[in-house]
Every structure is written in structure tokens, then in C-alpha cells.
Amino acid sequence: MNTRFLITISLLFFTLSTWANPPLSSWNERASRQAIIKFVAATTTPGSSDFVAPDKRIVVFDNDGTLWSEQPIYVQAVFVFDRIKQLAPQHPEWKTKEPFASVLKGDIKTALAGGEPALIKMVIATHANTTTQEFEKIVSKWIATARHPKTGRLYTEMVYQPMLELIEYFRANHFKVYIVSGGGIEFMRPWCQHIYGIPPEQIIGSSIKTKYEVRNGIPVIIRQSGINFINDKEGKPLAINLHIGLRPIAAIGNSDGDFQMLEWTTAGKGTRLGIYIHHDDAKREVAYDRKSSVGKLARGLDEASKRNWIVVSMKNDWKTIFPAIKRK
Amino acid sequence: MNTRFLITISLLFFTLSTWANPPLSSWNERASRQAIIKFVAATTTPGSSDFVAPDKRIVVFDNDGTLWSEQPIYVQAVFVFDRIKQLAPQHPEWKTKEPFASVLKGDIKTALAGGEPALIKMVIATHANTTTQEFEKIVSKWIATARHPKTGRLYTEMVYQPMLELIEYFRANHFKVYIVSGGGIEFMRPWCQHIYGIPPEQIIGSSIKTKYEVRNGIPVIIRQSGINFINDKEGKPLAINLHIGLRPIAAIGNSDGDFQMLEWTTAGKGTRLGIYIHHDDAKREVAYDRKSSVGKLARGLDEASKRNWIVVSMKNDWKTIFPAIKRK
């Protein structure tokens, strides 16, 4: 019994299990899939000039529009609207106060006409003044039953099957997988481990201010009425630097909000991977890019080629979009 | 060949290697050591009512005064003073401007008389206006040669041998080990992996504001002249919540700045471990607690017993303080 023997057995076991499940099986055998496999092979093969040690194999994924559907509107926005309706009895003033009044009338378009300030007002009103533990329960309860208006699927079933396989493929090759999303960090953490297998400490997102208090002898963290950090655009490399402290070697996004994350990642030395998921499948999902208010992708499309970023066509590169639903 | 066989072999191998190196060998066989071993056994033994799954085994360590010496002054403060001297030629105005003037005269006491505002002024002046990559190089270069004024050891040799063993013991039992320090996150990351085996993403600290820029086509992160977060006292549970998103099951500190971290950790359900390292060894290190301006420990001593926190006596619980120095 020695270490080499153990390693040999482990490798054999790993090889067998890998062989049993070919990777990226929902991806068509096209350039995108080939480039991903080539990148992973190059960075994980000992002796390769592009080899990266396992503790430096960081890959970052955007969430909305990259791992799950963001159309017709961000899932977290639906949570905001549902919570406004739920909290309305405690806020009689909302009946005449915008943007709340429009939400309560079901007029989301008018509610969102106030742009980001209106949205932030609604986020604060629905995400603050609870403890972190209470908020986790609120999110968990909501996400367990909330369904997509068009497909009728649970939102957690609106994840992309090829992306679940991509996460798994990276993980099997000893990459550390992070989510770096504009979504709320504490909105994502309650369900991301269950759905993606990504633990809370590998979820990075936007956040609101928090305060530590001892209430009746019990310490709590209170979510405050103020934004702490918006994890979008230039914010993403900053959050990656703060939370991870290493530059990723691969980044995957779908919108111009991910541009700087891809830019920062692929500007590092050595082989790097930048991927844009392009929503071009009107039949199986939604086709949108340059003119969309949600998940706008314009600069990314313009510059992907010269930056050697892969643009994945959902229509052509993916055999399926959503996973099969397992009902009991 | 099946999974059970592989697990059996792995366990056997693990057991053999554990047996070869008894844990916590620099700890005397007293109550502190026994309580730590009891806690780890309880939380890692399958079937135990206190069993905690590996992905929930989070342990947080303070750094200054807990993992390495903080006397006569925080190591990072020495870095600040050295950097003021180094940058002085570019700042002729410092000759007459406090607190810089006193530092340049070697009068640290007067420089620090201005309290936290003076310290923050010096931190900003010496830690900002570089890229993150430049700052990493500056810290790495400094820490490679800077020595403790009394012992002549490198600061990285002023770590506590029993704490290195404690980190290793937790790690061998599949705990995820974090540093949660008032020190600068980017001051610690360049050397913590090398010294403690703790990777950058498991280092949490104070931080200054950052900005993302593209300079001549190259993206950089610039360290700005403003504090982003002070990771001390109530800040520690907040940073743990933001970075980890899980409540630790064990916390180790040495000062009242760690009080809330221990409080938050040990208020969780199930078996928890809270440890204060008490600097009571005037002969082998420095004896200080209630009246010290650096690493003050008063409330912690008063309340440790009723909160079931362990107070480790460096004098009585540790066989050695510092590791043997290996010179080439």
C-alpha cells in the first residue's frame, strides 16, 4: 500500500466514471463544444504548456440568462413584485405611491418606467428589514412554488441543461466554480447549491447593507435599507477580486453586464476562456440581444471575435435547452 | 473494483497517515487540547448526534495575535511606517505634515497619538493608488525580508507553532479554514497561502475601495483612497455572512475585536467551538490583555466562562510558541 497505488486506483476509478458519462452530451459536436473541451484539456493535462494547477482553476458564471432564463423579466424582479403584493396590507400607503401602486394594479411596465431608482426602491422595500435567517426562509418558500408565466415550469426548472453539464464538466476537471451575478447574493444562496451544486461561499452577487445586533440575547444580522454593492459591469471584476482574490481562467456570461468579467478574465496570462451565451433560439426559448432591456448584448457581440471569445448559439450549439422535468 | 473498496482503501491510508503524525503535538495534554479534540471528534464522526457534513464544517481564525504575533505593534502597521519612509521622497510635504512627520522622525508614539483617523490616513497614503497587482508585489517583497524588532525573525516566522498544528488538524478533518482578520485582505493574501496553506478565497479582511479601468488596452484594478470595509468587531460576522454565507461551527480569536465573531459562531445550533488565545506568557512571548492598546482582551475574558468558550493559556497549554527556524 503506497501513495502511488492509491493514486493509480483513484485515476482508474475516475477514468471509468468519466467514460460512463460523456461530457457535454447536450452540446452539438460543433466549434463551441470543441473549443471548451480543448481549453479544459490544455489547462488540466500535466506537462502541457497551458497546465494550470487545480487551486488556480477558477471559472466564473453569470446567472441570469447564462444559467437560467431571464425572460420575460429577471426572476428576482418577479420575487419583488410578489413580495410587494404580499406586504401590501402592512403598507396601505403603497396604494397611491409609485412604483408600488402600479405593481399592485398588475401594471409592471409603468412600475418599471422609473428605471433603476424605481427598481432599487422596490428591492429595498421587499428585501430589507428582516434578519438574514428570515430572508433565507422567505426566498426558499417562494422559489419552491413560483412558476414561469409562459412555460409553467418552476423557475428552478428554467435552468439550461447544457449549462448544468458545463458546470459538471468543469467540476469533474477540478475547477472551482463560482457564480458572479447581478442578482442578490442572499437571493441566490438558498437554492443555488441544490440546483447547481455550487456552495454559498462560491456565490457572489449584489448585496444590501447589513447590521449586527443582539436581540434578547440572540445575535442576528439585519438586512438594512441601503445598497451595499451592485455586482454588474465594472463591479464584477471588483467583486471577483474581493471574494476570490485570484483572476479566473474562464468566464461565461450572456450580456454586456458580463463584458468586464470576460475582459478581466481573458486578459490574464496563459490560455483563457471567454464565452458568451447568445439567445438566438426564438422557437425553444427567446431570441434577443442588442435591443433587449433585459440581458442586452451588443458590445459583446461586436467584440467577441477580435477578443477570441466564443459565442455559443443556443439554437445551433445546444441539443436541448431545459432539463427533462422529473415529477413524482 | 467498486466505490466501497476505494473508500476503504482511502480510509486506511488516511488512518495510517494520521497515526504517523499525532495531532496538536505542541499542545500540552490539558483541558484546552482535550476540548478541541472532543469537538472535532463529535462533529466528524458519522452517526454522532453532533455530526456536521463536511461542506458545513467552517472554522474561522483571526490572524493578528491569534496566528502570528501582534506585539509590539501590528505587522501591517510596520509595513505602513516602512512604506511612508520609502515613499517620502515623492511627498516632500510629509516632512511637516502629521502623522507622517513623526513617522519619518521615528517617533511612532506621536504618529499614533491621533488614533484611528491618523492610522487610516497613513493606511490610505501607503496602500492606495497602485493596481492590485503592483500592491501584491510590494507586499510580497516587503514580507520576504521584514523582521521582528525584538526576535530578529522574519514576521512570517512569528507565527505560532501550535496554531499551525490546529489549522492542519482542522484541515485533516475536512474543515474549511478561513482567516477573518482586521488586517487588509490584500495585505494578507500574498503570503497566507505559503505560510498557513490557506488560499486567497478563504482570506477575509478589511479592504479599501477599488476601481476597474482599462489602461492602454489592459484592464487593471486600482486601489482607491477610501475605506471599503473595516473587518473588526461587529464587522466580522457581517463579512462572514457576505463572503461565506454559512455560519461557522468554530471560531478562534484573541481580542475583543473577535468577540462578535465568537458570539455569532457559538450562537448557532448544535455543538460549537469558541476559543480565545490568551497572551499570558511574558517569558516566551508577551503577556497582555485588559490594558493593551494592541489586542485588548477584557470582555472576552469576563464572559468566556459563561459562554463556554475555551481560554487557551499560551503559557500552560503550549509546549512551544514559535516554530523552529529552518535556515539553509
Side-chain angles (χ1 to χ4, degrees), chain B residues 129-263:
Chain B
N129 303 313
T130 70
T131 68
T132 50
Q133 286 177 297
E134 287 161 358
F135 189 72
E136 184 182 341
K137 279 181 197 159
I138 291 165
V139 172
S140 298
K141 195 177 166 190
W142 183 84
I143 202 90
T145 59
R147 288 178 183 275
H148 191 271
K150 195 174 152 191
T151 66
R153 285 172 170 242
L154 292 171
Y155 283 111
T156 49
E157 295 166 344
M158 296 295 293
V159 296
Y160 305 128
Q161 175 64 27
M163 297 306 283
L164 298 179
E165 294 168 9
L166 185 56
I167 290 173
E168 185 48 39
Y169 180 54
F170 276 121
R171 200 158 29 216
N173 284 282
H174 307 286
F175 279 70
K176 199 162 184 179
V177 178
Y178 281 82
I179 288 180
V180 179
S181 167
I185 190 165
E186 294 193 301
F187 176 75
M188 293 185 284
R189 281 176 169 163
W191 55 270
C192 276
Q193 184 150 23
H194 176 56
I195 301 298
Y196 305 131
I198 300 176
E201 65 268 31
Q202 286 158 231
I203 309 287
I204 302 172
S206 298
S207 55
I208 65 175
K209 290 187 187 300
T210 54
K211 192 183 172 195
Y212 183 79
E213 270 182 28
V214 179
R215 287 180 172 176
N216 304 319
I218 296 164
V220 288
I221 295 176
I222 314 286
R223 296 167 55 83
Q224 303 285 293
S225 298
I227 298 291
N228 176 59
F229 188 74
I230 302 283
N231 193 35
D232 195 29
K233 300 189 178 73
E234 291 84 0
K236 292 200 173 190
L238 302 185
I240 287 168
N241 184 58
L242 185 68
H243 285 255
I244 311 178
L246 284 173
R247 197 192 295 235
I249 63 169
I252 301 102
N254 77 298
S255 81
D256 284 348
D258 303 312
F259 189 92
Q260 288 80 2
M261 178 168 88
L262 268 69
E263 182 178 56

Side-chain angles (χ1 to χ4, degrees), chain B residues 40 62 95 106 148 159 223 230 235 260 265 278 296 326:
Chain B
V40 169
D62 171 57
K95 278 183 192 161
H148 191 271
V159 296
R223 296 167 55 83
I230 302 283
Q260 288 80 2
T265 299
H278 189 201
K296 180 183 169 181
K326 294 158 200 147

Side-chain angles (χ1 to χ4, degrees), chain A residues 6 9 55 176 178 185-186 189 193 200-201 210 212 214 219 237-238 241-245 260 263-264 267, chain B residues 6 9 55 132 176 178 185-186 189 193 200-201 210 212 214 219 237-238 241-245 260 263-264 267:
Chain A
L6 185 72
I9 288 173
D55 64 350
K176 199 162 183 178
Y178 282 82
I185 191 166
E186 294 194 300
R189 280 176 169 163
Q193 184 150 23
E201 66 267 32
T210 53
Y212 183 79
V214 179
L238 302 185
N241 185 59
L242 184 68
H243 285 254
I244 311 178
Q260 288 82 2
E263 181 179 57
W264 175 246
Chain B
L6 185 72
I9 288 172
D55 65 349
T132 50
K176 199 162 184 179
Y178 281 82
I185 190 165
E186 294 193 301
R189 281 176 169 163
Q193 184 150 23
E201 65 268 31
T210 54
Y212 183 79
V214 179
L238 302 185
N241 184 58
L242 185 68
H243 285 255
I244 311 178
Q260 288 80 2
E263 182 178 56
W264 174 246

